[in-house]
Amino acid sequence: MDVLLDNSGAFAEGVVTTVELTALSFVGALAIALVVVTFRVSPVKPLRLFGTAYVEIFQNVPLLLWILFFVFGLPKLGIQFELFTTAVLAVSMYSAAYYAEALRTGINTVATGQAEAARALGLGFGQSLRWVILPQALRSVVQPLGNLTVMLLMNTALAAGAGLVELSTAANRINLVEAEPILIFSGAAVVYALLALVITAITRLLERKLVIHR
Amino acid sequence: MNVLFDEPGPRARRRIQVATVVSVLGGALLFALAVRQFAVNGELDWKKWAPYTQWPNWRYLLTALGQTLLAAALSAGIGGLAGLLLAVARASRNVVVSGLARAYMETVRVIPAVLLIYVVLFVLPSLGLDLPLLWKLVVPLAVSSSAQFGEIFRAGILSLDRGQGEAAAALGLSTGQSMRLVILPQALRRVVPSLVSQTGGVLKDTSLGFFVSYAELLFSGKVLIGYYQNQLLIQTYLVIGVIYFAANYALSRFARWLERRGERTVKSR
């Protein structure tokens, strides 16, 4: 245990970075996914095509390649942010494709009568989506979104490939100095597991509050 | 058509037309901006793309694709087999067996694959076990995918009607026999599409070869970028992205085709 205590500062910094990266990427991914899924179900064909292309392109290319491209490629095109911001951007945009697919499944589970009723009330496409369909769709996909968020947490470790010092990199660096791999990597694994547990607990809570049992 | 709109009236049609024009213009503008950004920074220069019209570079990348496919096939094969055993173990009536399988699956699910890679790179050698390069990638991927494959098989087993197991028991089959002869053949057929798309996930995960210096696509791209002194970074990543996309897209199309075929056979009964 001494090794972890001696390096608790560096370790804690890694944990904080991972938590921030996960939280910000979650918010970003959900925001992008809402836009993408709106495009995918809209009556405007070019927007539908864009939504489909977005999902296919991001889902079929590995996240690590996106991260490397964003971090090392974009500066060559004159677009440069801080490393952490770039990592958030890459993880958000990648995860958004998965969140959007989950949301679309949710939209498909909303009964057709709901949309018909909304139209009968005179609501347009945007209004019925915003006020009638999405609130119900979101409720029905709490569990899948939670699972995807655990996956997002796991995926943040890939930012190590671009040199961001998050939890896995911090553990790796401490190990390079201390050479106590078993202890250090189990410590990191336990923290990841705890964070995943927190996400799962929040998901359960939300599910109990939100899900409509039919 | 989907639930959100039906046959539009004259006013809605006009609005859709306007939105179509606006979105096409917007898309064109974004595309033009991107091209301009490439051009201004000299990334469209012919000398930066010319190397990718030459066979040796393509041969190098296609060899790397072969290594990617090899690692993916081994990881998915081993992970899939382990997942099947895990799912069967979880369905066992023996509390210890099903508990252990469950604990394994829940634990692996919450450990990032990168961390498993570090374990193989640093922990195993310190215990005197130094795997060959390919296996340094395959072992962590097989471990992490085994839990995901296990979930898929489990979902397949749970999706079967209870009556199947009961009927098997009524015929006098033992638990093992009913699993092998009645439950699994049906469950396996149902989960084939999910298995294929999970294999696509494993294919993407082989990019972690980047961390172990195994010459799959992404790491080979890094080598190629270094060889051209970082001049072809954008071009190389784009080319590799297209290769990954082609391989994965083919796989996901295959999964969708299987899914549709499965639906048809179920309906025709």
Side-chain angles (χ1 to χ4, degrees), chain A residues 40-48 56-65 68-69 72-74 76-79 94 98 107 110 112 115-116 119 125 128-129 133 147 150 153-154 157-158 160-161 168-169 171-172 175-176 181-182 185 188-189 192-193 196 200, chain B residues 1-6 15-16 19-21 23-24 30 34 37-38 41 43 48 107-115 118-119 122-123 126-127 148 203-205 207-211 218 229-234 237-238 240-242 244-246 248-249 252 256:
Chain A
R40 274 204 97 170
V41 298
S42 89
V44 183
K45 200 171 179 201
L47 291 184
R48 277 208 301 276
E56 291 291 350
I57 290 175
F58 275 94
Q59 279 195 341
N60 285 318
V61 175
L63 173 58
L64 188 54
L65 178 55
L68 294 176
F69 184 79
F72 301 114
L74 289 188
K76 295 218 167 222
L77 298 173
I79 304 164
Y94 178 83
Y98 288 88
I107 288 178
V110 176
T112 327
E116 286 167 357
R119 272 204 305 281
F125 167 75
S128 48
L129 194 63
I133 308 295
N147 288 340
V150 172
L153 168 69
M154 302 296 111
L158 292 178
S168 75
T169 317
N172 197 15
N175 177 51
L176 288 180
I182 300 178
F185 290 122
Y192 275 112
T200 313
Chain B
M1 272 298 152
N2 72 45
V3 297
L4 281 159
F5 50 91
D6 49 10
R15 255 194 230 155
I16 291 174
T20 306
V21 171
S23 59
V24 167
L30 278 179
Q37 216 60 30
F38 269 79
N41 291 287
E43 297 295 341
K48 292 214 166 189
T107 312
V108 169
R109 199 177 80 97
V110 293
I111 297 176
V114 177
L115 219 51
Y118 288 151
V119 168
F122 302 114
V123 178
S126 76
L127 300 174
Q148 292 152 355
L203 182 66
K204 281 196 292 176
D205 282 344
S207 60
L208 291 172
F210 187 80
F211 288 95
L218 195 57
Q229 282 115 34
N230 270 354
Q231 288 304 303
L232 303 185
L233 190 136
I234 295 245
Y237 280 149
L238 284 177
I240 289 176
V242 169
Y244 271 121
F245 182 84
N248 252 317
Y249 191 72
S252 67
R256 254 172 257 177

Side-chain angles (χ1 to χ4, degrees), chain B residues 40-88:
Chain B
V40 168
N41 291 287
E43 297 295 341
L44 285 182
D45 294 357
W46 176 242
K47 69 174 196 301
K48 292 214 166 189
W49 289 93
Y52 286 107
T53 58
Q54 285 163 7
W55 173 238
N57 283 339
W58 276 100
R59 192 178 52 202
Y60 182 69
L61 286 180
L62 291 178
T63 314
L65 175 64
Q67 297 297 313
T68 289
L69 295 177
L70 174 67
L74 285 173
S75 312
I78 300 170
L81 216 58
L84 182 60
L85 292 177
L86 282 168
V88 171

Side-chain angles (χ1 to χ4, degrees), chain B residues 1-257:
Chain B
M1 272 298 152
N2 72 45
V3 297
L4 281 159
F5 50 91
D6 49 10
E7 203 46 43
R11 207 158 55 125
R13 243 195 319 258
R14 224 171 24 244
R15 255 194 230 155
I16 291 174
Q17 272 167 359
V18 172
T20 306
V21 171
V22 170
S23 59
V24 167
L25 286 179
L29 189 71
L30 278 179
F31 185 72
L33 266 178
V35 171
R36 178 185 167 270
Q37 216 60 30
F38 269 79
V40 168
N41 291 287
E43 297 295 341
L44 285 182
D45 294 357
W46 176 242
K47 69 174 196 301
K48 292 214 166 189
W49 289 93
Y52 286 107
T53 58
Q54 285 163 7
W55 173 238
N57 283 339
W58 276 100
R59 192 178 52 202
Y60 182 69
L61 286 180
L62 291 178
T63 314
L65 175 64
Q67 297 297 313
T68 289
L69 295 177
L70 174 67
L74 285 173
S75 312
I78 300 170
L81 216 58
L84 182 60
L85 292 177
L86 282 168
V88 171
R90 261 191 95 159
S92 158
R93 274 197 219 135
N94 186 327
V95 191
V96 179
V97 173
S98 69
L100 279 176
R102 186 179 170 177
Y104 173 87
M105 281 161 75
E106 295 287 327
T107 312
V108 169
R109 199 177 80 97
V110 293
I111 297 176
V114 177
L115 219 51
L116 293 176
I117 295 235
Y118 288 151
V119 168
V120 172
L121 285 182
F122 302 114
V123 178
L124 294 190
S126 76
L127 300 174
L129 182 60
D130 203 1
L131 296 170
L133 207 48
L134 170 64
W135 295 93
K136 279 186 178 160
L137 177 61
V138 169
V139 168
L141 291 190
V143 169
S144 77
S145 68
S146 67
Q148 292 152 355
F149 278 117
E151 282 301 338
I152 293 174
F153 285 121
R154 195 170 95 94
I157 292 175
L158 291 179
S159 77
L160 289 183
D161 196 76
R162 270 185 74 88
Q164 295 289 339
E166 288 167 357
L171 287 170
L173 298 184
S174 72
T175 328
Q177 279 174 322
S178 82
M179 182 56 91
R180 194 160 46 85
L181 299 170
V182 179
I183 310 283
L184 280 184
Q186 301 183 65
L188 289 187
R189 199 175 292 179
R190 288 195 187 183
V191 296
V192 167
S194 314
L195 293 180
V196 176
S197 50
Q198 184 60 47
T199 305
V202 175
L203 182 66
K204 281 196 292 176
D205 282 344
T206 56
S207 60
L208 291 172
F210 187 80
F211 288 95
V212 291
S213 313
Y214 171 69
E216 45 70 57
L217 261 180
L218 195 57
F219 182 76
S220 302
K222 185 185 167 185
V223 173
L224 211 52
I225 289 169
Y227 177 76
Y228 285 108
Q229 282 115 34
N230 270 354
Q231 288 304 303
L232 303 185
L233 190 136
I234 295 245
Q235 292 75 8
T236 308
Y237 280 149
L238 284 177
V239 168
I240 289 176
V242 169
I243 299 177
Y244 271 121
F245 182 84
N248 252 317
Y249 191 72
L251 209 58
S252 67
R253 279 331 290 238
F254 181 54
R256 254 172 257 177
W257 178 77

Side-chain angles (χ1 to χ4, degrees), chain A residues 15-27:
Chain A
V15 176
V16 171
T17 307
T18 288
V19 171
E20 286 175 347
L21 184 57
T22 306
L24 290 174
S25 303
F26 169 75
V27 175

